[in-house]
Amino acid sequence: MEGVLLPFRGNILKYEVTDVCDLLQAMCKGELIVKKVCRDWPKEAFGSGLVDECYYDEFEKNATTAAAKVFKVKDFAEGEVKLQEILKNLAAGKYDDKVLPTKEILAVGGEERPELKAIYDNLGKDYTVFTDKFDIAKHKASAEVGISVAEFCIAESGSIVVDNKSYEARVTSMLPYTNIVFVPAKYAVKDMSVACEIIGKVFKDGYCGFVTGPSRTADIERVLSLGVHGPNYLFIIAVEDMK
Amino acid sequence: MAERNIKEEIKAKLKDDVMQGALSKFAEQYPGSRLKSYEGQDIDALRNSFRDMKIDAVNHIEELADKFQASVEKRGGVFYRAKDGDEVKRILVEICRENNVHKVVKSKSMASEEIHMNECFTNNGIEVKETDLGEWMIAIAGHKPSHMVMPAIHLNRYQCAEMFTQELKEEVPGENIPYMIQKARETLREKFLAADMGVTGANFGIAENGAIGLVTNEGNARLVTTLPRIHVVLIGYEKLIPTVADAAKVLRLLPRNGTCQRMTSYMTMVDGPTPVIYEKNGEWVEEDRKQYVILMDNGRLEAAKDPIFKQVYQCVRCASCLNVCPIWTKVGGHVYGHIYSGGIGAVLTGLLNNGLDDFAKFSDLCIGCRTCVTVCPGKMPIPDIIDELRSRYIQKNGAPSMDGIFQSVMSDRSMMHTLLLKAASLTSAPFTNGKFIRHLPLFFANMTKGRSLPAIAPTPARDRMEALYRNNPKNPRYKVAYFSGCNMDFIFSDSSVNVVKVLQDAECSVVYPMEQSCCGKPILGVGDRETGRKIAKKNIEAFEKYDVDYIISACPTCTETLHETYKKLFANDPEWSRRAEAFCKKVREFSSFVAEQYKRMGRLTPTSGGEKVTYHDSCHIKRGLGISEEPRALLKAAKGVELVEMHNCDKCCGMAGSFGMKYQEVSIPMLEEKVKNIKDTGATTAVVACPACMMQIGGGLDKAETGIQTKHIADILAERIK
């Protein structure tokens, strides 16, 4: 099977295909397969009764304890306003009295979600926004902000579950000093056991995991210090009607 | 390597004020913070479910490994099994050659430390950079990690700054931690971006899909597995788990126990080769990253076959056993002299790397207090495994030379008392102050530094017993035999008389089998089971001659040995196994037995007001026998006594058998802490249910001239009998 696929690979680099059937199916449906652990988490992984918005408040509380800054918004329109506000605040030194440049932004998830693509397009008017994977790779060292998407939230730990099979998603969420993540507010689970049960249903290959607050260390005198390798800030925009 | 002098190393560490400050603060904060992170969780249920999963995993380890290998290979990863460190290094060098690797970044992996992995890179001209901040700092200074999770806990910010200064060739001020963090970010970011290859360990490896899990706070493992075009995983067999769902069992315990967090910042699962985009010959390309997985044995498979050692698979590498260890929190990790420190360090050192000889050098730093067992996520009985290792070591190398005299003294009671008395008459007579010896001349001087030693009783308890028989009740409820043990016989002879008095008052007739000997713990503790068996047989025979309902001991260590260890000693001897079983079943600890009788007699009703006393839980009674409420109930019911609790009432007093004598320098600070906690309660008496603690605490309170008395609980109870 791999042999058959190889010629295709060069042309469809943006997407990953695991076997010919997948590819044919996708082509028949007129869609291409996004490079993720799971193409449709709600449909293929969540099952019934495990995911419920009633767990959201606990998630928000624990995420905040883990030093994430969490904002709940109704829809993507409100989310966009919030995003713009965060970017302005960063530049204006509203967080920890530090003026943080926001010139270059890496942004992923637009291919899957037209609402996000629209937001990224709008951002492009005021900022330099990279959404192409090669552009992201080229600018990974200099970009100051990364915007990406998470699949669901965990109440017990305040974690977001990220499906980062693609290189660009990982780079976007790890290298810039500020990490902004959109997550569906209604997709929350009680604890890590449920989260792993869900992941177990679809995790056949790739890269996924939990993100809980920004990058931190306590290696010097056990003093909590943020941003040692990854982001110094994690902003979570939880969108109520996001699917 | 020159022969190590561990005692000198310990002395130096105890004088390291920076480390002492950091460790004592941490030891004080850790237990509470850990519990807070478990708020709302059933900790025991989480621990059981993790332990059961791991027990199942080790029982099917080959199967699990085959499945893991098949899963990795199916996804395109290259899989190796390595017998030992040398093989791992050969494989790594081969991978580097094949892929033209010049620069390597790694995220902290204990497995790589275990085999001194870095040398295979540096010896071949390959640059390797540790990216965990703590590991990176100490590597600059050429230190070894002092803790699995917090490698640089022994340093303060100024010492850290010196390392930055050395590495960055610029003055870095120690006051400014955020500046240091920023500098580390910039410096290490360059390394991440330039690296050809990333090496990680794994917190778990999932058999069903071949994924590995990495739990970090800094996120360095995420960068190591994202930026370089090659990813090498070094994973030990003990990290394998069956399914993704099982990962939760690890994840719900590891961060909470390790760093008191519900979850660390990053939990990353990497499954097979994942895409990477990089510049290849001037052109940006996207490819699947090359993934190599090395499954390392290095002693693990042999351990998996052993009924005792296989429990090491229940370790999740959270290091919580160090965080609560009364010895580790005093001496730090370096004196253990190996990669893995503390109790778990002793176990891993002994089992991995053919390290039984290394193990023996510091194995007696485990005092068997069992505090670690109470927090271990996998409920691993670390002290028991250490015990087993000691025994294997002795089997291999013979008992230490001093033990020749010790052995004959042990199995001959009259000889022991004669010797002790001789020593005492030579030494203690001119220096005795009441019941305690405050100063010993010449070579004994060290033993009385910081504590007074109790005087040897002029008449041992055994010689006072027969006179007590006349007080035995006419119609006893139970017939009991009293096992005194050495301390209660030779030193606290008066307390032994009180034990008998209390038992008689609780409607029991008491007999003292004269042929009883030492319980054997001191000799079993150093791993000499052969002599241990001889002593056990002697005791079993001595008690078989009397038809009693119970065998009572007022020393928890003896009780534990008689009740638990004797059974195990004769596992391969059906005849003695049966006799030991019958003996063990009858053994009861004094205070819990009396509490039961008092309750039956309606005498366990709490009273109020009176002299303030505080109760110290000995390690062996609380964690060995699980008895803590009963002695308290007795004290609350005792007239004219008010029980006040001390801070850390169940923390080891520092005696721990011969440890207190051998490692004075560690034992005394532990004692001083205990004395302070007792003083702070305002109590006039410290009550214990253990003669070893009584010796230590009594000595400490006397030496510090606190005026606070130390009593065995039998003394308190006997004083209240008319």
PDB file of all heavy atoms in Angstrom, chain B residues 399-424:
ATOM      1  N   ALA B 399      28.264 -12.659  55.371  1.00  0.00           N
ATOM      2  CA  ALA B 399      27.870 -11.635  56.325  1.00  0.00           C
ATOM      3  C   ALA B 399      29.060 -10.763  56.669  1.00  0.00           C
ATOM      4  O   ALA B 399      30.202 -11.213  56.611  1.00  0.00           O
ATOM      5  CB  ALA B 399      27.312 -12.298  57.578  1.00  0.00           C
ATOM      6  N   PRO B 400      28.800  -9.487  57.015  1.00  0.00           N
ATOM      7  CA  PRO B 400      29.888  -8.601  57.406  1.00  0.00           C
ATOM      8  C   PRO B 400      30.647  -9.177  58.604  1.00  0.00           C
ATOM      9  O   PRO B 400      30.070  -9.874  59.434  1.00  0.00           O
ATOM     10  CB  PRO B 400      29.194  -7.294  57.783  1.00  0.00           C
ATOM     11  CG  PRO B 400      27.761  -7.450  57.452  1.00  0.00           C
ATOM     12  CD  PRO B 400      27.492  -8.847  57.048  1.00  0.00           C
ATOM     13  N   SER B 401      31.931  -8.874  58.708  1.00  0.00           N
ATOM     14  CA  SER B 401      32.801  -9.556  59.660  1.00  0.00           C
ATOM     15  C   SER B 401      32.396  -9.349  61.117  1.00  0.00           C
ATOM     16  O   SER B 401      32.482 -10.261  61.918  1.00  0.00           O
ATOM     17  CB  SER B 401      34.231  -9.070  59.461  1.00  0.00           C
ATOM     18  OG  SER B 401      34.261  -7.671  59.644  1.00  0.00           O
ATOM     19  N   MET B 402      31.945  -8.189  61.468  1.00  0.00           N
ATOM     20  CA  MET B 402      31.576  -7.902  62.854  1.00  0.00           C
ATOM     21  C   MET B 402      30.516  -8.872  63.366  1.00  0.00           C
ATOM     22  O   MET B 402      30.355  -9.078  64.553  1.00  0.00           O
ATOM     23  CB  MET B 402      31.053  -6.481  62.987  1.00  0.00           C
ATOM     24  CG  MET B 402      29.898  -6.229  62.028  1.00  0.00           C
ATOM     25  SD  MET B 402      28.724  -4.962  62.486  1.00  0.00           S
ATOM     26  CE  MET B 402      27.802  -5.728  63.780  1.00  0.00           C
ATOM     27  N   ASP B 403      29.797  -9.451  62.415  1.00  0.00           N
ATOM     28  CA  ASP B 403      28.627 -10.191  62.831  1.00  0.00           C
ATOM     29  C   ASP B 403      28.942 -11.547  63.446  1.00  0.00           C
ATOM     30  O   ASP B 403      28.083 -12.185  64.009  1.00  0.00           O
ATOM     31  CB  ASP B 403      27.660 -10.342  61.665  1.00  0.00           C
ATOM     32  CG  ASP B 403      27.095  -8.984  61.304  1.00  0.00           C
ATOM     33  OD1 ASP B 403      27.041  -8.130  62.203  1.00  0.00           O
ATOM     34  OD2 ASP B 403      26.740  -8.772  60.134  1.00  0.00           O
ATOM     35  N   GLY B 404      30.191 -12.008  63.362  1.00  0.00           N
ATOM     36  CA  GLY B 404      30.565 -13.251  64.012  1.00  0.00           C
ATOM     37  C   GLY B 404      30.281 -13.187  65.496  1.00  0.00           C
ATOM     38  O   GLY B 404      29.567 -14.023  66.048  1.00  0.00           O
ATOM     39  N   ILE B 405      30.807 -12.144  66.117  1.00  0.00           N
ATOM     40  CA  ILE B 405      30.586 -11.961  67.557  1.00  0.00           C
ATOM     41  C   ILE B 405      29.099 -11.709  67.791  1.00  0.00           C
ATOM     42  O   ILE B 405      28.482 -12.279  68.684  1.00  0.00           O
ATOM     43  CB  ILE B 405      31.354 -10.725  68.076  1.00  0.00           C
ATOM     44  CG1 ILE B 405      32.807 -10.804  67.630  1.00  0.00           C
ATOM     45  CG2 ILE B 405      31.248 -10.624  69.592  1.00  0.00           C
ATOM     46  CD1 ILE B 405      33.552  -9.490  67.749  1.00  0.00           C
ATOM     47  N   PHE B 406      28.566 -10.856  66.920  1.00  0.00           N
ATOM     48  CA  PHE B 406      27.172 -10.461  67.035  1.00  0.00           C
ATOM     49  C   PHE B 406      26.263 -11.692  67.042  1.00  0.00           C
ATOM     50  O   PHE B 406      25.365 -11.816  67.855  1.00  0.00           O
ATOM     51  CB  PHE B 406      26.850  -9.554  65.852  1.00  0.00           C
ATOM     52  CG  PHE B 406      25.571  -8.801  65.997  1.00  0.00           C
ATOM     53  CD1 PHE B 406      25.299  -8.091  67.151  1.00  0.00           C
ATOM     54  CD2 PHE B 406      24.649  -8.780  64.957  1.00  0.00           C
ATOM     55  CE1 PHE B 406      24.125  -7.380  67.266  1.00  0.00           C
ATOM     56  CE2 PHE B 406      23.478  -8.079  65.072  1.00  0.00           C
ATOM     57  CZ  PHE B 406      23.213  -7.378  66.237  1.00  0.00           C
ATOM     58  N   GLN B 407      26.557 -12.615  66.108  1.00  0.00           N
ATOM     59  CA  GLN B 407      25.710 -13.795  65.980  1.00  0.00           C
ATOM     60  C   GLN B 407      25.689 -14.637  67.250  1.00  0.00           C
ATOM     61  O   GLN B 407      24.648 -15.070  67.700  1.00  0.00           O
ATOM     62  CB  GLN B 407      26.178 -14.663  64.806  1.00  0.00           C
ATOM     63  CG  GLN B 407      25.721 -14.123  63.470  1.00  0.00           C
ATOM     64  CD  GLN B 407      26.413 -14.829  62.328  1.00  0.00           C
ATOM     65  OE1 GLN B 407      26.929 -15.922  62.489  1.00  0.00           O
ATOM     66  NE2 GLN B 407      26.429 -14.202  61.172  1.00  0.00           N
ATOM     67  N   SER B 408      26.871 -14.859  67.841  1.00  0.00           N
ATOM     68  CA  SER B 408      26.867 -15.691  69.031  1.00  0.00           C
ATOM     69  C   SER B 408      26.235 -14.951  70.197  1.00  0.00           C
ATOM     70  O   SER B 408      25.544 -15.543  71.021  1.00  0.00           O
ATOM     71  CB  SER B 408      28.287 -16.153  69.360  1.00  0.00           C
ATOM     72  OG  SER B 408      29.165 -15.062  69.326  1.00  0.00           O
ATOM     73  N   VAL B 409      26.428 -13.652  70.245  1.00  0.00           N
ATOM     74  CA  VAL B 409      25.806 -12.864  71.304  1.00  0.00           C
ATOM     75  C   VAL B 409      24.287 -12.913  71.167  1.00  0.00           C
ATOM     76  O   VAL B 409      23.550 -13.058  72.132  1.00  0.00           O
ATOM     77  CB  VAL B 409      26.302 -11.405  71.246  1.00  0.00           C
ATOM     78  CG1 VAL B 409      25.451 -10.524  72.133  1.00  0.00           C
ATOM     79  CG2 VAL B 409      27.752 -11.322  71.676  1.00  0.00           C
ATOM     80  N   MET B 410      23.853 -12.850  69.930  1.00  0.00           N
ATOM     81  CA  MET B 410      22.436 -12.826  69.645  1.00  0.00           C
ATOM     82  C   MET B 410      21.729 -14.089  70.116  1.00  0.00           C
ATOM     83  O   MET B 410      20.619 -14.053  70.586  1.00  0.00           O
ATOM     84  CB  MET B 410      22.220 -12.734  68.134  1.00  0.00           C
ATOM     85  CG  MET B 410      22.238 -11.332  67.648  1.00  0.00           C
ATOM     86  SD  MET B 410      20.922 -10.485  68.466  1.00  0.00           S
ATOM     87  CE  MET B 410      21.226  -8.873  67.910  1.00  0.00           C
ATOM     88  N   SER B 411      22.350 -15.215  69.845  1.00  0.00           N
ATOM     89  CA  SER B 411      21.622 -16.426  70.170  1.00  0.00           C
ATOM     90  C   SER B 411      21.913 -16.913  71.591  1.00  0.00           C
ATOM     91  O   SER B 411      21.381 -17.899  72.024  1.00  0.00           O
ATOM     92  CB  SER B 411      21.897 -17.518  69.131  1.00  0.00           C
ATOM     93  OG  SER B 411      23.253 -17.502  68.783  1.00  0.00           O
ATOM     94  N   ASP B 412      22.732 -16.214  72.310  1.00  0.00           N
ATOM     95  CA  ASP B 412      22.965 -16.593  73.703  1.00  0.00           C
ATOM     96  C   ASP B 412      22.689 -15.414  74.632  1.00  0.00           C
ATOM     97  O   ASP B 412      23.462 -14.477  74.744  1.00  0.00           O
ATOM     98  CB  ASP B 412      24.412 -17.085  73.877  1.00  0.00           C
ATOM     99  CG  ASP B 412      24.626 -17.705  75.249  1.00  0.00           C
ATOM    100  OD1 ASP B 412      23.899 -17.310  76.192  1.00  0.00           O
ATOM    101  OD2 ASP B 412      25.508 -18.578  75.370  1.00  0.00           O
ATOM    102  N   ARG B 413      21.546 -15.521  75.293  1.00  0.00           N
ATOM    103  CA  ARG B 413      21.084 -14.383  76.076  1.00  0.00           C
ATOM    104  C   ARG B 413      21.957 -14.060  77.274  1.00  0.00           C
ATOM    105  O   ARG B 413      22.247 -12.894  77.527  1.00  0.00           O
ATOM    106  CB  ARG B 413      19.653 -14.628  76.572  1.00  0.00           C
ATOM    107  CG  ARG B 413      18.724 -14.875  75.462  1.00  0.00           C
ATOM    108  CD  ARG B 413      18.787 -13.757  74.500  1.00  0.00           C
ATOM    109  NE  ARG B 413      17.962 -12.647  74.944  1.00  0.00           N
ATOM    110  CZ  ARG B 413      17.830 -11.544  74.258  1.00  0.00           C
ATOM    111  NH1 ARG B 413      18.482 -11.378  73.149  1.00  0.00           N
ATOM    112  NH2 ARG B 413      17.063 -10.595  74.682  1.00  0.00           N
ATOM    113  N   SER B 414      22.321 -15.057  78.018  1.00  0.00           N
ATOM    114  CA  SER B 414      23.049 -14.738  79.247  1.00  0.00           C
ATOM    115  C   SER B 414      24.387 -14.102  78.896  1.00  0.00           C
ATOM    116  O   SER B 414      24.844 -13.174  79.535  1.00  0.00           O
ATOM    117  CB  SER B 414      23.237 -15.979  80.120  1.00  0.00           C
ATOM    118  OG  SER B 414      23.649 -17.053  79.315  1.00  0.00           O
ATOM    119  N   MET B 415      24.950 -14.588  77.793  1.00  0.00           N
ATOM    120  CA  MET B 415      26.205 -14.006  77.350  1.00  0.00           C
ATOM    121  C   MET B 415      26.013 -12.532  76.985  1.00  0.00           C
ATOM    122  O   MET B 415      26.830 -11.685  77.304  1.00  0.00           O
ATOM    123  CB  MET B 415      26.704 -14.776  76.136  1.00  0.00           C
ATOM    124  CG  MET B 415      28.008 -14.265  75.601  1.00  0.00           C
ATOM    125  SD  MET B 415      28.562 -15.429  74.353  1.00  0.00           S
ATOM    126  CE  MET B 415      29.778 -14.485  73.504  1.00  0.00           C
ATOM    127  N   MET B 416      24.876 -12.250  76.343  1.00  0.00           N
ATOM    128  CA  MET B 416      24.624 -10.870  75.931  1.00  0.00           C
ATOM    129  C   MET B 416      24.528  -9.947  77.155  1.00  0.00           C
ATOM    130  O   MET B 416      25.120  -8.883  77.190  1.00  0.00           O
ATOM    131  CB  MET B 416      23.342 -10.797  75.132  1.00  0.00           C
ATOM    132  CG  MET B 416      22.988  -9.392  74.756  1.00  0.00           C
ATOM    133  SD  MET B 416      22.237  -9.387  73.146  1.00  0.00           S
ATOM    134  CE  MET B 416      21.781  -7.680  72.998  1.00  0.00           C
ATOM    135  N   HIS B 417      23.752 -10.389  78.123  1.00  0.00           N
ATOM    136  CA  HIS B 417      23.578  -9.520  79.282  1.00  0.00           C
ATOM    137  C   HIS B 417      24.899  -9.341  80.027  1.00  0.00           C
ATOM    138  O   HIS B 417      25.227  -8.238  80.458  1.00  0.00           O
ATOM    139  CB  HIS B 417      22.497 -10.060  80.219  1.00  0.00           C
ATOM    140  CG  HIS B 417      22.141  -9.079  81.292  1.00  0.00           C
ATOM    141  ND1 HIS B 417      22.330  -9.334  82.622  1.00  0.00           N
ATOM    142  CD2 HIS B 417      21.639  -7.824  81.213  1.00  0.00           C
ATOM    143  CE1 HIS B 417      21.952  -8.283  83.324  1.00  0.00           C
ATOM    144  NE2 HIS B 417      21.508  -7.342  82.495  1.00  0.00           N
ATOM    145  N   THR B 418      25.653 -10.421  80.166  1.00  0.00           N
ATOM    146  CA  THR B 418      26.938 -10.323  80.835  1.00  0.00           C
ATOM    147  C   THR B 418      27.845  -9.315  80.130  1.00  0.00           C
ATOM    148  O   THR B 418      28.439  -8.451  80.756  1.00  0.00           O
ATOM    149  CB  THR B 418      27.638 -11.705  80.857  1.00  0.00           C
ATOM    150  OG1 THR B 418      26.661 -12.666  81.235  1.00  0.00           O
ATOM    151  CG2 THR B 418      28.791 -11.737  81.828  1.00  0.00           C
ATOM    152  N   LEU B 419      27.873  -9.451  78.830  1.00  0.00           N
ATOM    153  CA  LEU B 419      28.717  -8.538  78.056  1.00  0.00           C
ATOM    154  C   LEU B 419      28.276  -7.094  78.212  1.00  0.00           C
ATOM    155  O   LEU B 419      29.077  -6.192  78.421  1.00  0.00           O
ATOM    156  CB  LEU B 419      28.670  -8.914  76.578  1.00  0.00           C
ATOM    157  CG  LEU B 419      29.667  -9.965  76.097  1.00  0.00           C
ATOM    158  CD1 LEU B 419      29.497 -10.172  74.611  1.00  0.00           C
ATOM    159  CD2 LEU B 419      31.093  -9.508  76.400  1.00  0.00           C
ATOM    160  N   LEU B 420      26.958  -6.915  78.096  1.00  0.00           N
ATOM    161  CA  LEU B 420      26.427  -5.553  78.196  1.00  0.00           C
ATOM    162  C   LEU B 420      26.735  -4.963  79.562  1.00  0.00           C
ATOM    163  O   LEU B 420      27.167  -3.821  79.685  1.00  0.00           O
ATOM    164  CB  LEU B 420      24.912  -5.565  77.984  1.00  0.00           C
ATOM    165  CG  LEU B 420      24.440  -5.582  76.544  1.00  0.00           C
ATOM    166  CD1 LEU B 420      22.927  -5.787  76.499  1.00  0.00           C
ATOM    167  CD2 LEU B 420      24.806  -4.267  75.863  1.00  0.00           C
ATOM    168  N   LEU B 421      26.502  -5.773  80.586  1.00  0.00           N
ATOM    169  CA  LEU B 421      26.738  -5.287  81.939  1.00  0.00           C
ATOM    170  C   LEU B 421      28.199  -4.945  82.150  1.00  0.00           C
ATOM    171  O   LEU B 421      28.537  -3.935  82.743  1.00  0.00           O
ATOM    172  CB  LEU B 421      26.308  -6.341  82.956  1.00  0.00           C
ATOM    173  CG  LEU B 421      24.953  -6.128  83.615  1.00  0.00           C
ATOM    174  CD1 LEU B 421      24.777  -7.092  84.763  1.00  0.00           C
ATOM    175  CD2 LEU B 421      24.791  -4.695  84.114  1.00  0.00           C
ATOM    176  N   LYS B 422      29.051  -5.812  81.599  1.00  0.00           N
ATOM    177  CA  LYS B 422      30.484  -5.569  81.704  1.00  0.00           C
ATOM    178  C   LYS B 422      30.834  -4.233  81.075  1.00  0.00           C
ATOM    179  O   LYS B 422      31.488  -3.399  81.679  1.00  0.00           O
ATOM    180  CB  LYS B 422      31.242  -6.694  80.996  1.00  0.00           C
ATOM    181  CG  LYS B 422      31.514  -7.886  81.889  1.00  0.00           C
ATOM    182  CD  LYS B 422      33.018  -8.255  81.834  1.00  0.00           C
ATOM    183  CE  LYS B 422      33.331  -9.329  82.845  1.00  0.00           C
ATOM    184  NZ  LYS B 422      33.014 -10.676  82.309  1.00  0.00           N
ATOM    185  N   ALA B 423      30.331  -4.068  79.861  1.00  0.00           N
ATOM    186  CA  ALA B 423      30.596  -2.812  79.153  1.00  0.00           C
ATOM    187  C   ALA B 423      30.054  -1.649  79.959  1.00  0.00           C
ATOM    188  O   ALA B 423      30.690  -0.613  80.121  1.00  0.00           O
ATOM    189  CB  ALA B 423      29.962  -2.847  77.773  1.00  0.00           C
ATOM    190  N   ALA B 424      28.863  -1.859  80.493  1.00  0.00           N
ATOM    191  CA  ALA B 424      28.217  -0.785  81.235  1.00  0.00           C
ATOM    192  C   ALA B 424      28.961  -0.482  82.524  1.00  0.00           C
ATOM    193  O   ALA B 424      29.167   0.673  82.868  1.00  0.00           O
ATOM    194  CB  ALA B 424      26.774  -1.163  81.518  1.00  0.00           C
TER     195      ALA B 424
END
